[in-house]
Amino acid sequence: MQTAAPSPKPRLRVLLCAPRGFCAGVVRAIDAVEQALALYGPPVYVRHEIVHNKYVVEGLKRKGAVFVEELDEVPEGPAPVIFSAHGVPKSVPEAAASRNMFAIDATCPLVTKVHREAQVHHRKGREILLIGHARHPEVIGTMGQLPDDAVTLIETAEDARTIVPRDPDNLAYVTQTTLSLDDTAEMVNILRARFPNMAAPHKEDICYATTNRQDAVKKVAPQVDAMVVVGAPNSSNSLRLREAAERAGCALSVLVQRATDIDWERFGTITSLGVTAGASAPEVLVEELLDAFAERFELDVRSVTAAEEDVFFPLPRALRPDAAE
């Protein structure tokens, strides 16, 4: 008896967002851990996840990195202690110095820029409004640069409408680097209308990588039936990508950490798919996702580019080849 030929797989047009995945700050932070391991051997301690991605963190653990939430989990000794890309409150390096720790700061330079802006505004006597998400490590780090009453957090448009500053004519604002462009613009517009003398950043605080990845999603989302964002559920920039796709008109927009997280029943009838990855998600996970879709669909893959990126940040000084000179 002749067996029936397998039915052909349905065709699926895949639009790959570009840029996607690792940004320069994430590359620098991961390289910092790997370089510290190469120079000093394990263990290398890292305060908080170096970047918000389980795959990356688990890979570094296998190489000898030890992740802790607080410095009191680090034993006495010469092992390096690295601060994550998100930045830390001033109290953390001060505590490390008091214990004579070999501390290496892998804070993204664009986050450090926000810290410095806030410090300058504070020195000028301005009350600072920080647009961001409570409990996010970057926000905790930025607020922790200054005394407790120096910074007021603005999380929503309603916060922007109702904030009552001490002196409406002596304000400045800064933002988290990984926010929704649209949400932030709405809050800034409300604040500017209420406080026209409010000082603004010299250059936008939302980083180039966040901006470019959201712009790419906005180009692709209206053209596809579904969008998959590869990223972690605690990654702010990844969450914002999923939201951006939804707002841009994509009927199905999901965030997954790995291909194994996909609920295939939701993707059974699609004919087009957008794919992107948060700034802390490695490209290998995008490839894994595409392989999973290729098992079920005949893929026609092309790239949609919103911007070209060539940003590079050097390693922290203690890890550079000339550090001992």
Side-chain angles (χ1 to χ4, degrees), residues 20-75:
R20 63 183 176 275
F22 281 178
C23 64
V26 164
V27 170
R28 176 180 183 264
I30 295 169
D31 286 352
V33 178
E34 294 185 332
Q35 180 71 349
L37 286 164
L39 289 175
Y40 304 106
V44 167
Y45 292 90
V46 184
R47 185 188 178 276
H48 192 66
E49 291 183 339
I50 188 68
V51 296
H52 284 157
N53 188 274
K54 183 178 180 181
Y55 180 91
V56 171
V57 168
E58 292 299 322
L60 292 173
K61 281 182 180 178
R62 288 192 293 272
K63 295 177 182 180
V66 178
F67 291 85
V68 300
E69 285 304 310
E70 298 299 342
L71 294 183
D72 58 15
E73 300 172 54
V74 180

Side-chain angles (χ1 to χ4, degrees), residues 145-189:
Q145 302 305 305
L146 300 171
D148 289 344
D149 62 347
V151 182
T152 300
L153 184 62
I154 304 291
E155 291 193 85
T156 64
E158 183 62 21
D159 289 344
R161 292 187 191 97
T162 58
I163 177 71
V164 181
R166 293 186 293 272
D167 181 355
D169 291 320
N170 198 26
L171 291 174
Y173 82 89
V174 295
T175 83
Q176 186 179 331
T177 63
T178 55
L179 298 176
S180 159
L181 299 174
D182 298 332
D183 286 347
T184 304
E186 180 187 12
M187 286 183 266
V188 169
N189 288 338

Side-chain angles (χ1 to χ4, degrees), residues 16-287:
L16 274 177
C17 295
R20 63 183 176 275
F22 281 178
C23 64
V26 164
V27 170
R28 176 180 183 264
I30 295 169
D31 286 352
V33 178
E34 294 185 332
Q35 180 71 349
L37 286 164
L39 289 175
Y40 304 106
V44 167
Y45 292 90
V46 184
R47 185 188 178 276
H48 192 66
E49 291 183 339
I50 188 68
V51 296
H52 284 157
N53 188 274
K54 183 178 180 181
Y55 180 91
V56 171
V57 168
E58 292 299 322
L60 292 173
K61 281 182 180 178
R62 288 192 293 272
K63 295 177 182 180
V66 178
F67 291 85
V68 300
E69 285 304 310
E70 298 299 342
L71 294 183
D72 58 15
E73 300 172 54
V74 180
E76 299 293 335
V81 180
I82 298 179
F83 304 147
S84 79
H86 313 95
V88 295
K90 284 179 89 172
S91 59
V92 173
E94 288 170 356
S98 72
R99 289 182 54 188
N100 295 314
M101 288 179 162
F102 176 22
I104 299 169
D105 189 356
T107 300
C108 174
L110 299 180
V111 175
T112 300
K113 163 191 171 287
V114 177
H115 291 181
R116 289 174 177 159
E117 286 174 344
Q119 290 162 348
V120 168
H121 291 313
H122 183 63
R123 284 198 297 270
K124 292 181 177 180
R126 294 171 178 148
E127 183 179 353
I128 299 161
L129 307 180
L130 169 58
I131 300 174
H133 299 294
R135 294 178 295 281
H136 189 278
E138 183 184 328
V139 166
I140 292 169
T142 299
M143 295 186 78
Q145 302 305 305
L146 300 171
D148 289 344
D149 62 347
V151 182
T152 300
L153 184 62
I154 304 291
E155 291 193 85
T156 64
E158 183 62 21
D159 289 344
R161 292 187 191 97
T162 58
I163 177 71
V164 181
R166 293 186 293 272
D167 181 355
D169 291 320
N170 198 26
L171 291 174
Y173 82 89
V174 295
T175 83
Q176 186 179 331
T177 63
T178 55
L179 298 176
S180 159
L181 299 174
D182 298 332
D183 286 347
T184 304
E186 180 187 12
M187 286 183 266
V188 169
N189 288 338
I190 292 168
L191 291 169
R192 281 178 171 157
R194 293 186 63 204
F195 313 116
N197 295 327
M198 179 179 65
H202 292 298
K203 186 179 179 183
E204 191 68 53
D205 285 339
I206 295 178
C207 81
Y208 78 94
T210 298
T211 301
N212 292 345
R213 281 150 189 73
Q214 288 183 28
D215 285 347
V217 164
K218 289 175 183 178
K219 287 181 72 170
V220 167
Q223 304 180 54
V224 294
D225 299 327
M227 174 75 72
V228 177
V229 178
V230 180
N234 60 337
S235 165
S236 175
N237 75 84
S238 298
L239 291 166
R240 304 293 83 78
L241 291 174
R242 194 208 66 77
E243 292 170 359
E246 192 172 68
R247 289 179 176 181
C250 185
L252 174 61
S253 174
V254 299
L255 174 68
V256 300
Q257 296 195 77
R258 301 289 299 266
T260 50
D261 298 331
I262 295 171
D263 179 357
W264 291 106
E265 289 186 6
R266 302 181 71 190
F267 292 86
T269 60
I270 65 170
T271 60
S272 56
L273 175 72
V275 176
T276 190
S280 50
E283 184 66 11
V284 65
L285 298 186
V286 175
E287 294 168 0

Side-chain angles (χ1 to χ4, degrees), residues 288-310:
E288 175 188 272
L289 181 88
L290 292 175
D291 287 344
F293 272 95
E295 291 177 4
R296 295 161 175 83
F297 297 89
E298 190 70 37
L299 301 188
D300 173 18
V301 182
R302 68 182 183 89
S303 184
V304 176
T305 302
E308 300 291 340
E309 291 182 353
D310 58 1

